[in-house]
Amino acid sequence: SVDFTVYPNPNDWNFTVKVSGDVQPFTLEIFNDKGRLIETIRGKNEVININETKFVQGAYFVRIYMGGKTAVRKIVVQ
């Protein structure tokens, strides 16, 4: 699977996603707790800073697809 971290967690919609290992172009998706796709970001660098203020507090999921592999992390927005 893809190795990545999200910090800080919990956050206030200002957070960083750091992809580890051999970073290739990837797709990062953010879903709400009901599975609705909120945001899609295409990336190729190991660090992405996200600053979104249009969403409400709650639990969300960050999913990354890279090189045929995928991984998901849960984040909490306060």
Side-chain angles (χ1 to χ4, degrees):
S1 69
V2 180
D3 187 23
F4 75 98
T5 55
V6 180
Y7 58 90
N9 191 16
N11 63 71
D12 61 357
W13 270 118
N14 185 12
F15 62 93
T16 300
V17 176
K18 183 172 186 210
V19 182
S20 301
D22 182 24
V23 179
Q24 304 169 21
F26 59 87
T27 301
L28 182 151
E29 297 174 326
I30 301 173
F31 294 87
N32 68 11
D33 61 348
K34 299 194 180 358
R36 180 173 169 246
L37 180 62
I38 302 294
E39 188 82 29
T40 300
I41 300 168
R42 308 260 187 255
K44 59 184 176 181
N45 299 324
E46 68 179 32
V47 176
I48 294 180
N49 294 307
I50 298 176
N51 186 6
E52 296 285 345
T53 58
K54 60 186 174 183
F55 306 118
V56 298
Q57 296 176 345
Y60 292 82
F61 297 90
V62 177
R63 178 168 60 188
I64 291 185
Y65 292 107
M66 182 174 67
K69 299 177 182 176
T70 186
V72 178
R73 303 285 185 269
K74 181 179 179 179
I75 61 171
V76 176
V77 176
Q78 296 181 328

Coordinates of all heavy atoms in Angstrom, one line a residue:
S1 N 0.8 -1.2 0.0 CA 0.0 0.0 0.0 C 0.9 1.3 0.0 O 2.1 1.2 0.2 CB -0.9 0.0 1.2 OG -0.2 0.2 2.4
V2 N 0.2 2.4 -0.2 CA 0.9 3.7 -0.2 C 1.2 4.1 1.3 O 0.3 4.0 2.1 CB 0.1 4.7 -0.9 CG1 0.7 6.1 -0.9 CG2 -0.3 4.3 -2.3
D3 N 2.3 4.6 1.6 CA 2.6 5.0 2.9 C 2.6 6.6 3.0 O 3.3 7.2 2.2 CB 4.0 4.6 3.3 CG 4.3 4.9 4.8 OD1 3.4 5.0 5.6 OD2 5.5 5.0 5.1
F4 N 1.6 7.1 3.8 CA 1.5 8.5 3.9 C 1.0 8.9 5.3 O 0.4 8.0 6.0 CB 0.6 9.2 2.8 CG -0.9 8.9 3.0 CD1 -1.7 9.9 3.5 CD2 -1.5 7.8 2.5 CE1 -3.0 9.7 3.6 CE2 -2.8 7.6 2.6 CZ -3.6 8.6 3.2
T5 N 1.3 10.1 5.7 CA 0.8 10.6 7.0 C 0.0 11.9 6.8 O 0.3 12.6 5.8 CB 2.0 10.8 8.0 OG1 2.9 11.7 7.4 CG2 2.7 9.6 8.4
V6 N -0.9 12.2 7.7 CA -1.7 13.4 7.7 C -1.5 14.1 9.1 O -1.7 13.4 10.1 CB -3.2 13.1 7.4 CG1 -4.0 14.4 7.4 CG2 -3.4 12.4 6.2
Y7 N -1.1 15.3 9.1 CA -0.9 16.0 10.3 C -1.1 17.5 10.2 O -1.0 18.0 9.1 CB 0.6 15.8 10.8 CG 1.7 16.2 9.9 CD1 2.2 17.5 9.9 CD2 2.2 15.3 8.9 CE1 3.2 17.9 9.1 CE2 3.2 15.7 8.1 CZ 3.7 17.0 8.1 OH 4.7 17.4 7.3
P8 N -1.5 18.2 11.2 CA -2.0 17.6 12.5 C -3.3 16.9 12.3 O -4.1 17.2 11.4 CB -2.1 18.8 13.4 CG -2.4 20.0 12.5 CD -1.7 19.7 11.2
N9 N -3.6 16.0 13.2 CA -4.9 15.3 13.3 C -5.2 15.1 14.7 O -4.6 14.3 15.4 CB -4.7 14.0 12.5 CG -6.1 13.3 12.3 OD1 -7.1 14.0 12.4 ND2 -6.0 12.1 11.9
P10 N -6.3 15.8 15.2 CA -7.3 16.6 14.5 C -6.7 17.9 14.0 O -5.6 18.3 14.4 CB -8.4 16.8 15.5 CG -7.8 16.5 16.8 CD -6.6 15.6 16.6
N11 N -7.5 18.5 13.1 CA -7.1 19.8 12.5 C -8.3 20.7 12.3 O -9.4 20.4 12.6 CB -6.3 19.5 11.2 CG -7.2 18.9 10.2 OD1 -8.1 19.5 9.6 ND2 -7.0 17.6 9.9
D12 N -8.0 21.9 11.7 CA -9.0 22.9 11.4 C -9.2 23.1 9.9 O -9.4 24.2 9.5 CB -8.8 24.2 12.2 CG -7.5 24.8 11.8 OD1 -6.7 24.2 11.0 OD2 -7.2 25.9 12.3
W13 N -9.0 22.1 9.1 CA -8.9 22.2 7.7 C -7.7 22.8 7.2 O -7.6 23.3 6.0 CB -10.2 22.8 7.1 CG -11.2 21.8 6.8 CD1 -12.5 21.8 7.4 CD2 -11.2 20.6 6.0 NE1 -13.2 20.7 6.9 CE2 -12.4 20.0 6.1 CE3 -10.2 20.1 5.1 CZ2 -12.7 18.8 5.4 CZ3 -10.5 18.9 4.5 CH2 -11.7 18.3 4.6
N14 N -6.7 22.9 8.0 CA -5.3 23.3 7.6 C -4.4 22.2 8.0 O -4.0 22.1 9.1 CB -5.0 24.6 8.2 CG -3.7 25.2 7.7 OD1 -3.1 24.8 6.7 ND2 -3.2 26.2 8.4
F15 N -4.1 21.3 7.0 CA -3.3 20.1 7.3 C -2.3 19.8 6.2 O -2.4 20.3 5.1 CB -4.1 18.9 7.7 CG -5.1 18.4 6.6 CD1 -4.7 17.4 5.8 CD2 -6.3 19.0 6.5 CE1 -5.5 16.9 4.8 CE2 -7.2 18.5 5.5 CZ -6.8 17.5 4.7
T16 N -1.4 18.9 6.5 CA -0.4 18.5 5.5 C -0.5 17.0 5.3 O -0.7 16.2 6.2 CB 1.0 18.8 6.1 OG1 1.1 20.3 6.2 CG2 2.1 18.4 5.1
V17 N -0.3 16.6 4.0 CA -0.3 15.2 3.7 C 1.2 15.0 3.2 O 1.6 15.6 2.3 CB -1.3 14.8 2.6 CG1 -1.1 13.4 2.1 CG2 -2.7 15.1 3.0
K18 N 1.9 14.0 3.8 CA 3.2 13.7 3.4 C 3.3 12.2 2.9 O 3.0 11.3 3.7 CB 4.2 13.9 4.6 CG 5.6 13.6 4.1 CD 6.6 14.0 5.2 CE 8.0 13.8 4.6 NZ 9.0 13.4 5.5
V19 N 3.7 12.0 1.7 CA 3.8 10.7 1.1 C 5.2 10.2 1.2 O 6.2 11.0 1.0 CB 3.4 10.7 -0.4 CG1 3.5 9.4 -1.0 CG2 2.0 11.3 -0.6
S20 N 5.4 9.0 1.7 CA 6.8 8.5 1.9 C 7.2 7.5 0.8 O 6.3 6.9 0.1 CB 6.8 7.7 3.2 OG 6.5 8.6 4.3
G21 N 8.4 7.2 0.7 CA 8.9 6.2 -0.3 C 9.1 6.8 -1.7 O 9.4 8.0 -1.8
D22 N 9.0 5.9 -2.7 CA 9.2 6.3 -4.1 C 7.9 7.0 -4.6 O 7.0 6.4 -5.0 CB 9.5 5.0 -4.9 CG 9.7 5.4 -6.4 OD1 10.1 6.5 -6.7 OD2 9.5 4.5 -7.2
V23 N 7.9 8.3 -4.5 CA 6.8 9.1 -4.9 C 6.6 9.2 -6.4 O 7.5 9.7 -7.1 CB 6.8 10.5 -4.2 CG1 5.6 11.3 -4.6 CG2 6.9 10.4 -2.7
Q24 N 5.4 8.8 -6.8 CA 5.1 8.9 -8.2 C 3.8 9.8 -8.3 O 3.2 10.1 -7.3 CB 4.7 7.5 -8.8 CG 5.8 6.5 -8.6 CD 5.3 5.1 -9.0 OE1 4.3 4.9 -9.6 NE2 6.0 4.1 -8.5
P25 N 3.4 10.3 -9.5 CA 2.2 11.0 -9.6 C 1.0 10.2 -9.0 O 0.9 9.0 -9.1 CB 1.9 11.2 -11.1 CG 3.3 11.1 -11.7 CD 4.1 10.1 -10.8
F26 N 0.2 11.0 -8.2 CA -0.9 10.3 -7.5 C -2.1 11.1 -7.5 O -2.1 12.3 -7.8 CB -0.4 10.0 -6.0 CG 0.0 11.2 -5.2 CD1 -1.0 11.9 -4.5 CD2 1.3 11.6 -5.2 CE1 -0.6 13.0 -3.8 CE2 1.7 12.7 -4.4 CZ 0.7 13.4 -3.7
T27 N -3.2 10.5 -7.0 CA -4.5 11.2 -6.9 C -4.9 11.1 -5.4 O -4.8 10.0 -4.8 CB -5.6 10.5 -7.7 OG1 -5.2 10.6 -9.1 CG2 -7.0 11.2 -7.5
L28 N -5.2 12.2 -4.8 CA -5.6 12.3 -3.4 C -7.1 12.7 -3.4 O -7.5 13.6 -4.1 CB -4.8 13.4 -2.7 CG -5.0 13.6 -1.2 CD1 -3.7 14.1 -0.5 CD2 -6.1 14.6 -0.9
E29 N -7.9 11.9 -2.7 CA -9.3 12.2 -2.6 C -9.7 12.3 -1.1 O -9.2 11.6 -0.2 CB -10.1 11.1 -3.2 CG -9.9 10.9 -4.7 CD -10.5 9.7 -5.2 OE1 -10.7 8.6 -4.5 OE2 -10.9 9.7 -6.4
I30 N -10.6 13.3 -0.8 CA -11.1 13.5 0.5 C -12.6 13.2 0.5 O -13.4 13.7 -0.4 CB -10.9 14.9 1.0 CG1 -9.4 15.2 1.0 CG2 -11.5 15.1 2.4 CD1 -9.1 16.7 1.3
F31 N -13.0 12.3 1.4 CA -14.4 11.9 1.5 C -15.0 12.3 2.9 O -14.3 12.2 3.9 CB -14.6 10.3 1.4 CG -14.2 9.8 0.0 CD1 -12.9 9.5 -0.2 CD2 -15.1 9.6 -0.9 CE1 -12.5 9.0 -1.5 CE2 -14.8 9.1 -2.2 CZ -13.5 8.8 -2.4
N32 N -16.3 12.6 2.9 CA -16.9 12.8 4.2 C -17.2 11.5 4.9 O -17.0 10.4 4.3 CB -18.1 13.7 4.1 CG -19.3 13.2 3.4 OD1 -19.4 12.0 3.1 ND2 -20.2 14.0 3.1
D33 N -17.8 11.5 6.1 CA -18.1 10.2 6.8 C -19.2 9.4 6.2 O -19.5 8.3 6.6 CB -18.4 10.5 8.3 CG -19.6 11.4 8.5 OD1 -20.1 12.0 7.5 OD2 -20.0 11.5 9.7
K34 N -19.9 10.0 5.2 CA -21.0 9.3 4.5 C -20.5 8.7 3.1 O -21.3 8.1 2.4 CB -22.2 10.2 4.3 CG -22.8 10.7 5.6 CD -24.1 11.3 5.5 CE -24.7 11.8 6.7 NZ -24.1 11.6 8.0
G35 N -19.2 8.9 2.9 CA -18.6 8.4 1.6 C -18.7 9.3 0.4 O -18.4 8.9 -0.7
R36 N -19.2 10.5 0.6 CA -19.3 11.5 -0.5 C -18.0 12.1 -0.8 O -17.3 12.6 0.1 CB -20.3 12.6 -0.1 CG -20.5 13.6 -1.2 CD -21.6 14.6 -0.9 NE -21.6 15.7 -1.8 CZ -21.3 16.9 -1.5 NH1 -21.1 17.3 -0.2 NH2 -21.3 17.9 -2.4
L37 N -17.6 12.1 -2.0 CA -16.3 12.7 -2.5 C -16.4 14.2 -2.3 O -17.3 14.9 -2.9 CB -16.0 12.3 -3.9 CG -14.7 12.9 -4.5 CD1 -13.5 12.4 -3.7 CD2 -14.6 12.5 -6.0
I38 N -15.5 14.8 -1.6 CA -15.5 16.2 -1.3 C -14.5 17.0 -2.1 O -14.7 18.1 -2.6 CB -15.1 16.5 0.2 CG1 -16.1 15.8 1.1 CG2 -15.0 18.0 0.5 CD1 -17.5 16.3 1.1
E39 N -13.3 16.4 -2.3 CA -12.2 17.1 -3.0 C -11.3 16.0 -3.7 O -11.1 14.9 -3.2 CB -11.4 17.8 -2.0 CG -10.3 18.7 -2.6 CD -10.9 20.1 -3.0 OE1 -11.9 20.5 -2.5 OE2 -10.3 20.6 -4.0
T40 N -10.8 16.4 -4.9 CA -9.8 15.5 -5.6 C -8.6 16.4 -5.9 O -8.8 17.5 -6.5 CB -10.4 14.9 -6.9 OG1 -11.5 14.1 -6.6 CG2 -9.4 14.1 -7.6
I41 N -7.4 15.9 -5.6 CA -6.2 16.7 -5.9 C -5.2 15.8 -6.6 O -5.0 14.6 -6.1 CB -5.6 17.2 -4.6 CG1 -6.5 18.1 -3.8 CG2 -4.2 17.9 -4.8 CD1 -6.1 18.4 -2.4
R42 N -4.6 16.2 -7.7 CA -3.6 15.5 -8.3 C -2.2 16.0 -7.8 O -2.0 17.2 -7.7 CB -3.7 15.7 -9.8 CG -5.0 15.4 -10.4 CD -5.1 14.1 -11.1 NE -6.4 13.9 -11.7 CZ -7.4 13.2 -11.3 NH1 -7.3 12.5 -10.2 NH2 -8.5 13.1 -12.0
G43 N -1.4 15.1 -7.5 CA -0.1 15.5 -6.9 C 1.1 14.7 -7.5 O 0.9 13.6 -8.0
K44 N 2.3 15.2 -7.3 CA 3.5 14.5 -7.7 C 4.6 14.8 -6.7 O 5.7 14.2 -6.9 CB 3.9 14.9 -9.1 CG 4.1 16.3 -9.4 CD 4.5 16.6 -10.8 CE 4.6 18.1 -11.0 NZ 4.9 18.4 -12.4
N45 N 4.4 15.7 -5.8 CA 5.4 16.0 -4.7 C 5.1 15.2 -3.5 O 3.9 14.9 -3.2 CB 5.4 17.5 -4.5 CG 5.8 18.3 -5.7 OD1 6.6 17.8 -6.5 ND2 5.2 19.4 -5.9
E46 N 6.1 15.0 -2.6 CA 5.8 14.2 -1.4 C 5.1 15.0 -0.3 O 4.5 14.3 0.6 CB 7.2 13.7 -0.8 CG 8.1 14.8 -0.3 CD 9.3 14.2 0.3 OE1 9.8 13.2 -0.2 OE2 9.8 14.8 1.2
V47 N 4.9 16.3 -0.4 CA 4.2 17.1 0.6 C 3.1 17.9 -0.1 O 3.4 18.6 -1.0 CB 5.2 18.0 1.4 CG1 4.4 18.8 2.4 CG2 6.2 17.1 2.1
I48 N 1.9 17.8 0.4 CA 0.8 18.7 0.0 C 0.2 19.3 1.2 O -0.2 18.7 2.1 CB -0.3 17.8 -0.8 CG1 0.3 17.2 -2.0 CG2 -1.5 18.7 -1.1 CD1 -0.7 16.4 -2.8
N49 N 0.1 20.7 1.1 CA -0.6 21.4 2.2 C -2.0 21.7 1.7 O -2.2 22.2 0.6 CB 0.1 22.7 2.4 CG 1.5 22.5 3.0 OD1 1.7 21.8 4.0 ND2 2.5 23.1 2.3
I50 N -3.0 21.4 2.6 CA -4.4 21.6 2.3 C -5.0 22.6 3.3 O -4.8 22.5 4.5 CB -5.1 20.2 2.4 CG1 -4.5 19.3 1.3 CG2 -6.6 20.4 2.2 CD1 -5.1 17.9 1.3
N51 N -5.7 23.6 2.7 CA -6.3 24.6 3.5 C -7.7 24.8 2.9 O -7.9 25.6 2.0 CB -5.5 25.9 3.5 CG -6.1 26.9 4.4 OD1 -7.0 26.7 5.2 ND2 -5.5 28.1 4.4
E52 N -8.7 24.1 3.5 CA -10.1 24.2 3.0 C -10.9 24.7 4.2 O -10.9 24.1 5.2 CB -10.6 22.8 2.6 CG -9.9 22.3 1.4 CD -10.3 23.0 0.1 OE1 -11.3 23.7 0.1 OE2 -9.6 22.8 -0.9
T53 N -11.7 25.7 3.9 CA -12.5 26.2 5.0 C -14.0 26.1 4.7 O -14.9 26.5 5.5 CB -12.2 27.7 5.3 OG1 -12.4 28.4 4.0 CG2 -10.8 27.9 5.7
K54 N -14.3 25.4 3.6 CA -15.7 25.3 3.2 C -16.5 24.1 3.7 O -17.7 23.9 3.4 CB -15.8 25.3 1.6 CG -15.1 24.2 1.0 CD -15.1 24.3 -0.5 CE -14.2 23.3 -1.1 NZ -14.1 23.4 -2.6
F55 N -15.8 23.3 4.5 CA -16.5 22.1 5.0 C -16.7 22.2 6.5 O -16.1 22.9 7.2 CB -15.6 20.9 4.7 CG -15.3 20.8 3.2 CD1 -14.0 20.8 2.8 CD2 -16.3 20.6 2.3 CE1 -13.7 20.7 1.4 CE2 -16.1 20.6 0.9 CZ -14.7 20.6 0.5
V56 N -17.7 21.4 7.0 CA -18.1 21.4 8.4 C -17.2 20.5 9.2 O -16.4 19.7 8.7 CB -19.5 21.0 8.6 CG1 -20.4 22.0 7.8 CG2 -19.8 19.6 8.1
Q57 N -17.3 20.7 10.5 CA -16.5 19.8 11.5 C -17.0 18.4 11.4 O -18.2 18.1 11.0 CB -16.7 20.3 12.9 CG -16.2 21.7 13.2 CD -16.6 22.1 14.6 OE1 -17.4 21.6 15.2 NE2 -15.9 23.2 15.0
G58 N -16.1 17.4 11.6 CA -16.5 16.0 11.6 C -15.3 15.2 11.1 O -14.2 15.6 11.0
A59 N -15.7 13.9 10.9 CA -14.7 12.9 10.4 C -14.7 12.9 8.9 O -15.7 12.9 8.2 CB -15.0 11.5 11.0
Y60 N -13.5 12.7 8.3 CA -13.3 12.6 6.9 C -12.2 11.6 6.6 O -11.5 11.2 7.5 CB -12.8 14.0 6.3 CG -13.8 15.1 6.4 CD1 -14.0 15.8 7.5 CD2 -14.6 15.3 5.3 CE1 -15.0 16.8 7.6 CE2 -15.6 16.3 5.3 CZ -15.8 17.0 6.5 OH -16.7 18.0 6.6
F61 N -12.1 11.1 5.4 CA -11.2 10.1 5.0 C -10.3 10.7 3.8 O -10.9 11.2 2.9 CB -11.9 8.8 4.6 CG -12.6 8.2 5.8 CD1 -13.9 8.5 6.0 CD2 -11.9 7.4 6.6 CE1 -14.6 8.0 7.1 CE2 -12.6 6.8 7.7 CZ -13.9 7.2 8.0
V62 N -9.0 10.5 3.9 CA -8.1 10.9 2.8 C -7.6 9.6 2.2 O -7.1 8.7 2.9 CB -6.9 11.7 3.4 CG1 -5.9 12.0 2.3 CG2 -7.4 12.9 4.1
R63 N -7.8 9.5 0.9 CA -7.4 8.3 0.1 C -6.4 8.7 -0.9 O -6.6 9.7 -1.6 CB -8.6 7.6 -0.5 CG -8.2 6.4 -1.3 CD -9.4 5.5 -1.7 NE -10.4 6.2 -2.5 CZ -11.6 5.7 -2.8 NH1 -12.0 4.6 -2.4 NH2 -12.4 6.5 -3.5
I64 N -5.3 7.9 -1.1 CA -4.3 8.2 -2.1 C -4.2 7.0 -3.0 O -4.1 5.8 -2.5 CB -3.0 8.5 -1.5 CG1 -3.0 9.9 -0.8 CG2 -1.9 8.5 -2.6 CD1 -1.7 10.4 -0.3
Y65 N -4.3 7.2 -4.3 CA -4.0 6.2 -5.3 C -2.6 6.5 -5.9 O -2.4 7.7 -6.4 CB -5.0 6.2 -6.5 CG -6.4 5.8 -6.1 CD1 -7.4 6.7 -6.0 CD2 -6.7 4.4 -5.9 CE1 -8.7 6.3 -5.7 CE2 -8.0 4.0 -5.6 CZ -9.0 5.0 -5.5 OH -10.2 4.6 -5.1
M66 N -1.7 5.6 -5.9 CA -0.4 5.8 -6.5 C 0.2 4.5 -7.0 O 0.3 3.6 -6.2 CB 0.6 6.5 -5.5 CG 1.9 6.8 -6.1 SD 3.0 7.8 -4.9 CE 3.3 6.5 -3.7
G67 N 0.6 4.5 -8.3 CA 1.3 3.3 -8.8 C 0.5 2.0 -8.7 O 1.0 1.0 -8.4
G68 N -0.9 2.1 -8.8 CA -1.7 0.9 -8.7 C -2.0 0.5 -7.3 O -2.6 -0.5 -7.0
K69 N -1.5 1.3 -6.3 CA -1.8 1.0 -4.9 C -2.6 2.1 -4.3 O -2.7 3.2 -4.8 CB -0.5 0.9 -4.1 CG 0.4 -0.3 -4.7 CD 1.7 -0.3 -4.0 CE 2.6 -1.4 -4.5 NZ 3.9 -1.4 -3.9
T70 N -3.2 1.8 -3.1 CA -4.1 2.7 -2.5 C -3.9 2.6 -0.9 O -3.6 1.6 -0.4 CB -5.6 2.5 -2.9 OG1 -6.3 3.6 -2.3 CG2 -6.1 1.2 -2.4
A71 N -4.2 3.7 -0.3 CA -4.2 3.7 1.2 C -5.2 4.8 1.7 O -5.4 5.8 1.0 CB -2.8 4.0 1.8
V72 N -5.8 4.6 2.9 CA -6.8 5.6 3.4 C -6.4 5.9 4.8 O -5.9 5.0 5.6 CB -8.2 4.9 3.4 CG1 -9.2 5.9 4.0 CG2 -8.6 4.5 2.0
R73 N -6.6 7.2 5.2 CA -6.4 7.6 6.6 C -7.6 8.4 7.0 O -8.1 9.2 6.2 CB -5.1 8.5 6.7 CG -3.8 7.9 6.3 CD -3.3 6.9 7.3 NE -2.0 6.4 6.9 CZ -1.8 5.4 6.1 NH1 -2.8 4.7 5.6 NH2 -0.6 5.0 5.8
K74 N -8.0 8.3 8.3 CA -9.1 9.1 8.8 C -8.5 10.4 9.4 O -7.5 10.3 10.1 CB -9.8 8.3 9.9 CG -11.0 9.0 10.5 CD -11.7 8.1 11.6 CE -12.8 8.8 12.2 NZ -13.5 8.0 13.2
I75 N -9.2 11.5 9.2 CA -8.9 12.7 9.8 C -10.1 13.3 10.5 O -11.2 13.0 10.2 CB -8.3 13.8 8.8 CG1 -9.3 14.1 7.7 CG2 -7.0 13.3 8.2 CD1 -8.9 15.3 6.9
V76 N -9.9 14.1 11.5 CA -10.9 14.8 12.2 C -10.8 16.3 12.1 O -9.7 16.8 12.4 CB -10.9 14.4 13.7 CG1 -12.0 15.1 14.5 CG2 -11.2 12.9 13.8
V77 N -11.8 17.0 11.7 CA -11.8 18.4 11.6 C -12.6 19.0 12.7 O -13.7 18.6 13.0 CB -12.5 18.9 10.2 CG1 -12.5 20.4 10.1 CG2 -11.7 18.3 9.1
Q78 N -12.0 19.9 13.5 CA -12.6 20.5 14.7 C -13.1 21.9 14.4 O -12.6 22.6 13.6 CB -11.7 20.5 15.8 CG -11.3 19.1 16.3 CD -10.3 19.1 17.5 OE1 -9.5 20.1 17.6 NE2 -10.4 18.1 18.3

